[in-house]
Amino acid sequence: MRKARIALWLPVLIAGIALAGCADSNVARSGANEAPAAAQFTKGQPLKAAFTDARAAGMKGVAENERLRLFVDESTGAIAVLNKETGETWYSNPPEQGKDPLASGVNKANLSSQLKIDYYNNFGQVNSINTFTDSVSHKQIKFEPIPSGVRVTYQFGTAVKSAADLPMMLSSERIEAMLGKLDKTGQRALKIAYKEDPDKKAYVRNDSALNGLQLDRAFKAFDDAGYTEEDLMKDMEELHFTQEKPEPRIFLASIEYALDGGSLVAKIPASGIQYPSAYPIGNISFLSFFGAGSSKEKGAIFVPDGSGALIHFNNGKKQYPAYQQPVYGEDLTMKTTEDAKTEQAVRLPVFGIIRESGAILGIIEEGAAAAAIHADISGKLNSYNYVYPSFNVMNKGEVTLQANGQERTLPRFQEQAMKTDFTVRYAFLNKEEASYQGLARYYQRYLEQHGGLPKPETAAGTTDTPFYLQLVGGIAKQKHVAGIPYRTIEPLTTFEQSEDIINQMKSRDISNIKLKYSGWFNGGLDHEVPDHISVDKAVGGSNGLRGFLSFTQDQGVSFFPDVAVLTANTGKGFNENANAARTLRGVPAALYPLDQALNRRDRDKPPSYVVSPRLTVSYTESVLKGLKGYQTGGISLRDLADQLNSDYRKHNQLDRTQSENLSVQALGSISQQNLKVMADGGNAYALPFLTDITNAPMSGSRFKIEDEEIPFYQMVIRGSIDYTGSPFNLSTYTDERQYILKCLEYGAGVYFEWIHEPNDKVKDTDYNDLYAVHYKQWIDQAAEMYREVNDVLKNVRNEPITGHEKLGEGVFKTVYGNGIYVIVNYNRTDVTVDGQTVKAESYLTGGVQS
């Protein structure tokens, strides 16, 4: 009976394993990333040292330029970079890691590793390997010279046989038959390898004795006895056990190091990442301890959380989780949480280590869309403070199968690995630049040199700081006639009413108005997909828009009609089966509205959908075609600079890096139309195309491990792009003083979102979040806030932030490019700075224009 059960169960297990591996969704199965057999790996020739240096003892010099020297340790794979100007040496791995009193086991091995690979087994479980334990320890590391540097190739894992390759059990008859074919040495080896188990009435493999020479003798005994795979199958059937033939888990990966001016460029070529088809790679952690600070050093880790944040070395926050955030926010096709997130997204693909003697800025040049930034402090896993990127190679989802009343969840992987190399530039900054201000200046210059920022407009214009206003035109609302429900467009702010609001703003001396107008076409605020443009009659129609455009031009108001390209906010006119992005489960990626009361997604309401990235360019071109006849002069992008999503449609996959390329192509099409471009969010790849950013990050996520918020983002873009945070009346600010001070410290414009109709017009609609937007409630307060902010910031119009520092708790000083500074005091008590009193929740200015 038991035998019959096993016979039935075995095919099910095999089928489950095959499905779990997803034969149709793993790039290795096409042979593109299949790792070679271990026997094919050759170490190559030892590197010839171009030079040596006592400051990098035990390492070979392999490349140098006017500013840097690159060294390699052939025994460990570690590298070091010497700054010739300062004499400071930066190591990929802490030189004293072997003496770390805290790290042990895998944590100690990781300190000596340059790469850590997380891979999946057949059941979707994660396993980890690293270059030290799984490559260097087996002497499976190869070095090859390349221009200005060196390529290091690692083979992880070996094909060496283990005890698991021997049968789990043998019958008495099998043992007797084999003993009769062996000499005394072979007989002794077999008797050591297997011990009789009376309960099982068989001989069971003695794993504890099978290592080293004894394991070799056991294998020889089986060979001499002529034991075959047919014998194993017969033994499994007779003794009722199953045993898979172990498959060597061989992985390959390379790192290319090259000096470039004052930087080291480190690359993991995609072509060099190889793995067994049954074990797809999930993530690769890259140079985790490059430049790490010890428990005895002073310094800080810079992380790009929102506007930026610092984690002080050895801050003692051992009870809090490590920092970890994906670059450019989450992929909505991979979204799994039901709760609303309040975290700030990572907008810039950078990170850094700041020490007293110098600093490193890491810039992810390739693969940012697949990257995450990690950071942690000493005292937890080891004695070091460190920050590093990891790169997603293959995403994993889950599929649930139901049969015969049983349910089983199996993993499903994306069809192909990310189509990108993973490249990080490590820039080395001298002592005088070793600060977050120095890192920001370097990154700003880097973007300017590489076309990563727009060129500032030189034409003469207003010196007033921008006032950002979002007006909501119409929303979809359900009404009833004779008890029969129907949906219609409810106008909240018509074009004519918008003119009224702007006139009232002008009468209150609000100038340089930049107007984002949403809910104007294709069915209101949550409009149909923009495969065409049809101006809603409820807000004034095409003629109303033309008249309003004439009005804004006469009044000097910049007009930005708002468009969503990456999200199908309503299912009307959208075929989600054909055009929505697919999740790894193979279903359209749906986004359910947020229940404000429960702070969770409401699945009782109809969802919106993530649009497949393959439609990004065509939708953008349709928008441009539709706007051409109106000459709007500008466009507002709700999501094109804010989101990056994949599409896991079977046999037509688009990964996140490809999605980024399509977004850049769409942004380029807009730029060619000479439109001013306002966008929410402001991810790095979009910056060259933008004139204005709304909802720019004005804080970090305030993770417990962080110590300071900094305006790194603002220090990079100010002077090239105008920006503002979230609308004051819909923000978490309860105090206008705190909002004003933040605008002054971060150099941002004032922002409000309004409607002309009373607030109760949105009651009992899907837009209850627009709870405080009636303009009459806010216009007088907005005018006062704008006047106060503008009185300061108009003196630094288009000036970059050249300095920023914390003077005390809640007291900060910002210096602008022309020498003018502002000191803000967020405290509810007065403070004294350099003999000057800064009143509670106030500020003072100074400096002379240069």
Side-chain angles (χ1 to χ4, degrees):
M1 184 70 179
R2 180 177 172 178
K3 181 176 178 181
R5 283 200 302 268
I6 292 173
L8 289 171
W9 175 77
L10 184 58
V12 173
L13 174 64
I14 294 171
I17 290 173
L19 181 56
C22 288
D24 63 348
S25 60
N26 192 322
V27 67
R29 286 184 165 78
S30 69
N33 286 74
E34 184 72 51
Q40 292 179 298
F41 184 82
T42 55
K43 286 184 62 177
Q45 298 298 316
L47 282 173
K48 293 182 180 179
F51 52 86
T52 57
D53 195 308
R55 292 168 291 186
M59 306 182 86
K60 291 182 178 180
V62 294
E64 81 176 305
N65 60 24
E66 292 182 357
R67 300 174 64 180
L68 303 174
R69 279 187 158 186
L70 174 62
F71 301 86
V72 168
D73 184 336
E74 283 186 292
S75 64
T76 66
I79 61 108
V81 178
L82 172 68
N83 186 327
K84 294 165 73 171
E85 182 179 342
T86 65
E88 183 173 23
T89 304
W90 296 88
Y91 294 90
S92 63
N93 304 88
E96 302 295 320
Q97 84 271 10
K99 301 177 182 178
D100 190 336
L102 184 60
S104 61
V106 68
N107 293 321
K108 201 170 192 98
N110 286 336
L111 282 174
S112 301
S113 302
Q114 295 80 50
L115 297 177
K116 180 172 78 74
I117 293 177
D118 294 333
Y119 69 90
Y120 299 107
N121 64 16
N122 283 324
F123 301 100
Q125 299 163 323
V126 178
N127 299 274
S128 296
I129 51 178
N130 63 69
T131 54
F132 180 77
T133 303
D134 302 281
S135 180
V136 171
S137 295
H138 299 300
K139 295 182 169 51
Q140 295 172 169
I141 182 171
K142 178 169 63 176
F143 300 87
E144 302 167 275
I146 61 173
S148 302
V150 64
R151 179 189 298 112
V152 186
T153 300
Y154 305 89
Q155 177 177 287
F156 302 79
T158 69
V160 176
K161 290 184 178 180
S162 68
D165 289 274
L166 296 172
M168 290 171 58
M169 289 187 283
L170 298 174
S171 66
S172 300
E173 293 78 9
R174 180 72 67 190
I175 285 282
E176 291 298 326
M178 292 177 67
L179 289 173
K181 300 177 181 179
L182 298 172
D183 59 18
K184 290 184 178 180
T185 301
Q187 291 174 355
R188 184 171 183 275
L190 192 60
K191 290 177 180 179
I192 292 174
Y194 286 84
K195 298 294 184 184
E196 187 174 10
D197 186 333
D199 294 334
K200 295 182 178 179
K201 297 181 181 180
Y203 284 80
V204 179
R205 192 176 64 210
N206 184 17
D207 287 1
S208 61
L210 290 169
N211 49 60
L213 182 60
Q214 193 56 51
L215 179 62
D216 293 338
R217 287 173 175 170
F219 279 120
K220 186 175 187 303
F222 272 83
D223 288 340
D224 291 347
Y227 190 86
T228 65
E229 195 156 331
E230 288 77 13
D231 293 332
L232 175 61
M233 298 299 293
K234 189 178 293 186
D235 288 336
M236 285 195 293
E237 183 177 1
E238 181 180 341
L239 298 175
H240 311 309
F241 73 92
T242 59
Q243 180 173 340
E244 284 187 86
K245 185 177 181 181
E247 179 180 348
R249 302 183 185 184
I250 308 298
F251 299 78
L252 288 178
S254 299
I255 307 177
E256 296 177 354
Y257 301 102
L259 299 180
D260 181 18
S263 301
L264 172 74
V265 178
K267 173 188 289 190
I268 303 174
S271 60
I273 302 172
Q274 299 179 37
Y275 49 89
S277 60
Y279 303 105
I281 292 177
N283 294 281
I284 299 180
S285 298
F286 192 29
L287 296 176
S288 301
F289 298 95
F290 199 172
S294 75
S295 58
K296 299 177 182 178
E297 287 184 275
K298 292 182 179 179
I301 300 166
F302 158 64
V303 292
D305 174 25
S307 64
L310 298 179
I311 301 170
H312 295 158
F313 283 5
N314 316 309
N315 64 15
K317 298 181 179 181
K318 302 174 188 177
Q319 70 273 37
Y320 298 123
Y323 173 87
Q324 178 179 335
Q325 275 190 295
V327 177
Y328 303 144
E330 64 181 341
D331 184 336
L332 295 180
T333 59
M334 296 294 297
K335 188 178 178 69
T336 56
T337 57
E338 287 293 309
D339 296 336
K341 287 190 175 182
T342 57
E343 297 173 4
Q344 293 286 332
V346 169
R347 302 294 182 188
L348 304 176
V350 291
F351 56 92
I353 289 279
I354 303 167
R355 300 188 342 202
E356 291 184 309
S357 55
I360 291 180
L361 176 66
I363 304 170
I364 302 175
E365 293 188 325
E366 292 181 284
I373 307 296
H374 308 252
D376 210 351
I377 57 167
S378 66
K380 294 166 73 174
L381 303 178
N382 52 63
S383 301
Y384 295 92
N385 306 274
Y386 52 98
V387 61
Y388 65 94
S390 69
F391 296 97
N392 183 255
V393 179
M394 297 280 283
N395 277 310
K396 178 182 79 75
E398 292 181 339
V399 59
T400 300
L401 302 180
Q402 294 179 329
N404 300 324
Q406 294 184 327
E407 185 174 279
R408 186 173 184 184
T409 300
L410 298 172
R412 175 166 286 174
F413 303 101
Q414 67 184 65
E415 288 182 350
Q416 296 177 320
M418 295 288 177
K419 291 182 171 62
T420 180
D421 296 333
F422 304 125
T423 304
V424 182
R425 176 180 295 270
Y426 295 90
F428 304 96
L429 283 68
N430 296 341
K431 183 176 182 179
E432 59 272 16
E433 296 176 299
S435 62
Y436 66 86
Q437 300 92 334
L439 296 182
R441 282 193 295 271
Y442 182 96
Y443 187 51
Q444 183 184 53
R445 292 195 301 268
Y446 170 87
L447 291 178
E448 290 171 347
Q449 293 166 3
H450 292 80
L453 286 173
K455 294 181 179 179
E457 295 183 8
T458 57
T462 177
T463 60
D464 289 322
T465 199
F467 183 102
Y468 289 92
L469 174 64
Q470 179 173 355
L471 292 178
V472 179
I475 59 172
K477 187 173 184 179
Q478 184 166 293
K479 294 184 178 182
H480 296 80
V481 171
I484 300 174
Y486 70 100
R487 291 181 71 82
T488 185
I489 303 300
E490 178 74 31
L492 300 180
T493 316
T494 65
F495 294 129
E496 188 175 338
Q497 290 169 336
S498 299
E499 292 184 19
D500 178 44
I501 292 174
I502 290 172
N503 284 329
Q504 293 188 52
M505 293 170 68
K506 288 279 191 176
S507 69
R508 290 167 172 80
D509 295 326
I510 298 177
S511 58
N512 197 10
I513 299 169
K514 297 195 174 186
L515 174 62
K516 177 198 296 189
Y517 191 86
S518 56
W520 62 278
F521 80 109
N522 287 21
L525 182 59
D526 286 345
H527 60 76
E528 297 173 19
V529 290
D531 54 0
H532 68 287
I533 296 293
S534 177
V535 182
D536 294 334
K537 292 182 180 179
V539 296
S542 297
N543 290 335
L545 175 57
R546 289 190 174 90
F548 184 61
L549 283 168
S550 178
F551 169 82
T552 56
Q553 291 165 6
D554 290 343
Q555 297 296 318
V557 173
S558 300
F559 181 66
F560 299 87
D562 187 53
V563 178
V565 174
L566 305 183
T567 309
N569 291 301
T570 174
K572 188 176 179 182
F574 180 72
N575 185 337
E576 62 267 22
N577 288 322
N579 296 325
R582 294 296 180 108
T583 69
L584 282 167
R585 291 174 55 229
V587 299
L591 304 172
Y592 287 88
L594 181 67
D595 185 318
Q596 298 283 347
L598 299 177
N599 199 40
R600 291 180 65 82
R601 301 293 165 182
D602 188 347
R603 291 184 172 269
D604 292 329
K605 292 183 177 178
S608 54
Y609 292 93
V610 179
V611 173
S612 172
R614 60 194 168 84
L615 295 171
T616 300
V617 174
S618 63
Y619 278 177
T620 301
E621 290 175 349
S622 294
V623 170
L624 294 174
K625 181 179 179 181
L627 290 179
K628 197 168 185 179
Y630 295 102
Q631 299 296 311
T632 61
I635 186 173
S636 168
L637 303 173
R638 196 181 306 178
D639 48 22
L640 194 52
D642 180 53
Q643 294 180 20
L644 273 185
N645 305 311
S646 307
D647 184 358
Y648 295 108
R649 184 175 297 272
K650 191 174 182 179
H651 305 318
N652 196 14
Q653 170 190 293
L654 285 170
D655 68 38
R656 212 170 182 226
T657 62
Q658 294 170 297
S659 180
E660 178 185 349
N661 292 334
L662 290 168
S663 290
V664 170
Q665 185 179 339
L667 288 162
S669 297
I670 297 171
S671 178
Q672 291 174 4
Q673 301 300 314
N674 295 318
L675 294 172
K676 293 183 177 181
V677 183
M678 177 186 290
D680 268 359
N683 289 337
Y685 55 84
L687 296 181
F689 309 99
L690 306 183
T691 57
D692 296 85
I693 299 173
T694 50
N695 291 297
M698 296 289 285
S699 70
S701 301
R702 300 187 173 102
F703 295 121
K704 295 291 187 181
I705 197 172
E706 297 173 350
D707 294 295
E708 292 184 50
E709 290 181 346
I710 57 174
F712 186 94
Y713 187 90
Q714 286 71 19
M715 296 180 77
V716 170
I717 70 169
R718 198 173 202 278
S720 298
I721 306 172
D722 287 333
Y723 54 89
T724 185
S726 57
F728 172 71
N729 56 318
L730 293 178
S731 71
T732 56
Y733 282 96
T734 57
D735 184 343
E736 71 176 63
R737 297 304 309 164
Q738 299 288 314
Y739 182 88
I740 289 170
L741 296 178
K742 180 65 79 168
C743 289
L744 297 179
E745 182 194 357
Y746 279 44
V750 175
Y751 186 21
F752 278 83
E753 182 173 346
W754 292 339
I755 62 175
H756 190 276
E757 295 297 315
N759 289 324
D760 60 17
K761 284 284 188 178
V762 300
K763 188 177 180 181
D764 299 324
T765 71
D766 293 335
Y767 307 94
N768 287 325
D769 54 324
L770 301 176
Y771 53 85
V773 289
H774 182 44
Y775 83 100
K776 286 186 178 179
Q777 292 178 266
W778 300 103
I779 191 167
D780 291 328
Q781 183 180 6
E784 286 301 312
M785 293 171 65
Y786 175 72
R787 178 194 57 76
E788 190 167 0
V789 170
N790 188 44
D791 281 349
V792 175
L793 294 186
K794 69 181 180 182
N795 298 310
V796 293
R797 183 81 175 105
N798 297 323
E799 292 290 342
I801 296 174
T802 55
H804 181 270
E805 61 180 315
K806 182 178 180 179
L807 302 180
E809 197 59 42
V811 184
F812 301 89
K813 179 180 182 179
T814 303
V815 182
Y816 292 92
N818 58 4
I820 291 177
Y821 66 81
V822 57
I823 299 174
V824 299
N825 174 20
Y826 289 98
N827 300 295
R828 299 186 185 277
T829 56
D830 297 353
V831 298
T832 301
V833 177
D834 295 334
Q836 300 181 82
T837 298
V838 187
K839 293 199 173 292
E841 293 190 296
S842 190
Y843 56 91
L844 61 82
T845 61
V848 180
Q849 293 192 23
S850 58

